[in-house]
Amino acid sequence: MARYGYTFFNSGARFGSPDAHPTTMKNLHYFLENPFDDPGISLAELAAFTTDHIQRMISNNATGDFTDRITATQSALGLVDTKAVGDLTQLGVREGSKQAKNEYRKALPAGVAKIAGVVIGQYGDSAPQLLECFPQGRNVFNKCRDDEVTEHLQALLDAVTTHQADLGAPTVLKAQALLDGWTAVYGASEAASGVKSAAQEGKNLARENLQLMLFLNLLKIAEVYARQPEKLDVYMQQSLLQNHTQRPQAATPAPQPPAPPPGA
């Protein structure tokens, strides 16, 4: 077999020693799979690996082969950081809005009961006007879904408005206030949920982009250092992507019986 020693061409690949690392034929499809897409890799592990990898590329880039890859990877990591912070911020907003909605929902039956008291006081507890105000009963405000509360409050407002002459304007204003308050807290909660979903999607897309950048970096290393797998360790520390497990503790030796006395 013709040899060219350890001649390095512009790419840095070692062309003259194909048997330096004996290997066997592998399924070529595997080389097009992105190992960084492994769902077992956490975002924290991916970020730690990328930070270390960028510094390694910067420190070992005398020929400028990795300049473009350094820039692309730094940009991708920065986007992940930005999206992760945005996701946490939206999580706080969502939790606050959800709590406000839940607290309002808990207090709602008491507000409804005050209006019911006025209706009963005016018409009696079996009057048809009470059924107009609460066609499904007052307990519906305790058990219906959040997206059904508005419908029931609107029915209550319509009924007391119809009988405003008997029930008085303050009763109508109370029903209107209950509806307006619920609309505000429920709308804020739903909007925060939508923003949170968008933020999570943005973070996922940013992570997928970073995973792609790392894969392209791996291919670039293969291009520059063909047939030199040992060079991978210069640029990538794979152990940072692997879960760290606790070392098993050494077994405590079983107690030994005392030695018999001499002459026994």
Side-chain angles (χ1 to χ4, degrees), residues 29-197:
H29 295 86
Y30 294 154
F31 293 99
L32 302 183
E33 294 180 354
N34 187 349
F36 302 102
D37 289 341
D38 183 349
I41 301 174
S42 70
L43 184 58
E45 291 169 338
L46 193 68
F49 172 86
T50 304
T51 301
D52 177 80
H53 169 52
I54 290 174
Q55 293 306 314
R56 288 170 179 265
M57 285 196 295
I58 293 174
S59 300
N60 297 277
N61 189 38
T63 59
D65 291 303
F66 299 100
T67 300
D68 291 344
R69 299 310 316 150
I70 291 170
T71 301
T73 309
Q74 287 175 326
S75 177
L77 180 60
L79 184 60
V80 168
D81 290 340
T82 299
K83 293 298 183 180
V85 171
D87 183 51
L88 288 175
T89 300
Q90 293 304 326
L91 176 61
V93 172
R94 178 175 179 270
E95 290 302 316
S97 300
K98 183 178 179 180
Q99 181 178 353
K101 181 205 67 176
N102 290 341
E103 292 298 324
Y104 193 94
R105 180 75 192 267
K106 290 179 182 178
L108 189 58
V112 170
K114 292 180 181 179
I115 297 176
V118 175
V119 177
I120 293 173
Q122 180 66 33
Y123 299 111
D125 58 8
S126 59
Q129 292 87 347
L130 185 63
L131 185 60
E132 290 180 41
C133 294
F134 307 102
Q136 295 187 31
R138 281 171 283 170
N139 194 43
V140 70
F141 291 97
N142 291 313
K143 62 182 182 180
C144 71
R145 300 194 310 267
D146 285 346
D147 59 358
E148 297 175 335
V149 172
T150 300
E151 177 184 347
H152 295 299
L153 286 176
Q154 185 64 57
L156 174 60
L157 176 60
D158 292 343
V160 296
T161 300
T162 299
H163 300 285
Q164 180 175 345
D166 295 331
L167 300 176
T171 303
V172 176
L173 292 176
K174 288 179 182 178
Q176 183 69 63
L178 287 180
L179 176 59
D180 291 345
W182 172 253
T183 300
V185 297
Y186 180 64
S189 177
E190 290 297 291
S193 296
V195 173
K196 171 64 172 60
S197 177

